[in-house]
Amino acid sequence: MSSQPPASKPQTPAAGRHGSQHPGPHDHSVQGHSLEEALQQAGFYPRLVADVVADALDGRDCVAHLVHLETHFDRAEVRRHITVLVLTEDMLVITHVDDQQLDDAGEQIVAQVSTESVPVTQIRSVVLSYVYAQPQDYKPSDPVRELTLSIAWSGGQRLDMGPASCGDPQCEADHGYSGTIAQEDIVLRISAEADGLQAVQDAKLFARALRAVNTGSTALAPHGVSSLPQRPRPGVFGTRLSRGHQR
């Protein structure tokens, strides 16, 4: 498998609108970057990730995409990992890539990759949670400060538990535990401060496209400017791998 994807085809005039117009907060028709551009901008082994995604797509056309790079601190180390969601007319393809340093000098590094292909007919719910600043002064032009996208398809659930209380700060009685159960297989949190306003907008567009394909409410044309080079391969991708993208 080549680590360098072929150069993307010249964009059509319709795709040129990405560079000349800035979508408003409620515009659901324009994504900021093509899939290949988004991978290059993330800068996390873009050639490797592009090849893995193209391989998992099995030649399908991309309807919408979402690239999310996360950074976290592990003691004295800064760790990053990337999650790429690609929606086709019949599949949701999830790719997650982590890296691991094998020596103190940082010369030996391995990348751990997992991909999962989910038929859109199996997706049970698409949940968007929004955070707005200063809601008392809200205007239709105000951008979303933070967005969390949750997608469930396998019936997996997350249980958050904590000690229950009666509201009396002096009470020392045991009130048991209380908690919430959330159905989710993957959760992505996109912040305007950390990721930029366009990233939040792209997440909204992706969720809208996913809902449309999942419910069959509209026939979406392939998102041509977001496609990666198609590479046919024998067989059908159907093996469920470990979900490195779960929290």
Side-chain angles (χ1 to χ4, degrees), residues 17 24-31 63-66 85 87-88 92 120 123 125-128 130 147-151 200-221:
R17 63 185 179 181
H26 302 299
D27 182 359
H28 299 288
S29 60
V30 179
Q31 284 193 296
V63 171
H65 67 275
L66 181 61
L85 307 183
L87 178 66
T88 73
L92 173 62
V120 294
I123 295 175
S125 69
V126 180
V127 180
L128 283 176
Y130 300 90
L147 182 147
T148 301
L149 171 63
S150 303
I151 307 172
V200 176
Q201 175 70 10
D202 286 346
K204 292 171 63 178
L205 296 176
F206 180 83
R208 182 173 184 263
L210 180 57
R211 288 196 301 260
V213 171
N214 183 233
T215 61
S217 60
T218 182
L220 292 177

Side-chain angles (χ1 to χ4, degrees), residues 64-224:
H65 67 275
L66 181 61
V67 176
H68 185 53
L69 179 67
E70 295 185 73
T71 303
H72 61 92
F73 298 92
D74 183 8
R75 297 181 181 177
E77 296 182 359
V78 178
R79 301 290 300 276
R80 297 191 303 165
H81 53 95
I82 194 169
T83 302
V84 181
L85 307 183
V86 178
L87 178 66
T88 73
E89 291 186 347
D90 63 340
M91 299 289 288
L92 173 62
V93 178
I94 304 104
T95 302
H96 187 83
V97 182
D98 284 290
D99 65 357
Q100 182 177 359
Q101 182 176 310
L102 300 181
D103 63 338
D104 293 336
E107 298 179 354
Q108 300 296 324
I109 301 175
V110 297
Q112 299 173 323
V113 182
S114 67
T115 62
E116 184 168 4
S117 300
V118 182
V120 294
T121 54
Q122 292 185 9
I123 295 175
R124 301 187 178 191
S125 69
V126 180
V127 180
L128 283 176
S129 301
Y130 300 90
V131 174
Y132 282 93
Q134 301 300 108
Q136 70 276 13
D137 300 323
Y138 173 78
K139 300 181 298 295
S141 59
D142 288 350
V144 180
R145 180 176 178 179
E146 183 180 304
L147 182 147
T148 301
L149 171 63
S150 303
I151 307 172
W153 61 85
S154 70
Q157 295 181 329
R158 173 174 57 86
L159 178 62
D160 293 328
M161 296 289 294
S165 65
C166 63
D168 181 359
Q170 304 300 325
C171 181
E172 298 181 356
D174 185 358
H175 296 283
Y177 290 86
S178 64
T180 59
I181 296 177
Q183 187 179 41
E184 60 188 35
D185 283 279
I186 183 171
V187 177
L188 296 179
R189 175 179 170 268
I190 300 95
S191 166
E193 294 180 359
D195 307 303
L197 289 173
Q198 184 62 58
V200 176
Q201 175 70 10
D202 286 346
K204 292 171 63 178
L205 296 176
F206 180 83
R208 182 173 184 263
L210 180 57
R211 288 196 301 260
V213 171
N214 183 233
T215 61
S217 60
T218 182
L220 292 177
H223 189 29

Side-chain angles (χ1 to χ4, degrees), residues 39 44-54 82 84 95 97 228:
L39 295 177
F44 190 75
Y45 311 117
R47 290 178 293 178
L48 170 63
V49 178
D51 265 9
V52 170
V53 172
I82 194 169
V84 181
T95 302
V97 182
L228 286 173

Side-chain angles (χ1 to χ4, degrees), residues 54-60 91 117 231-239:
D55 190 59
L57 284 175
D58 276 328
R60 293 179 173 87
M91 299 289 288
S117 300
R231 308 191 315 168
R233 67 185 177 93
V236 177
F237 180 85
T239 305

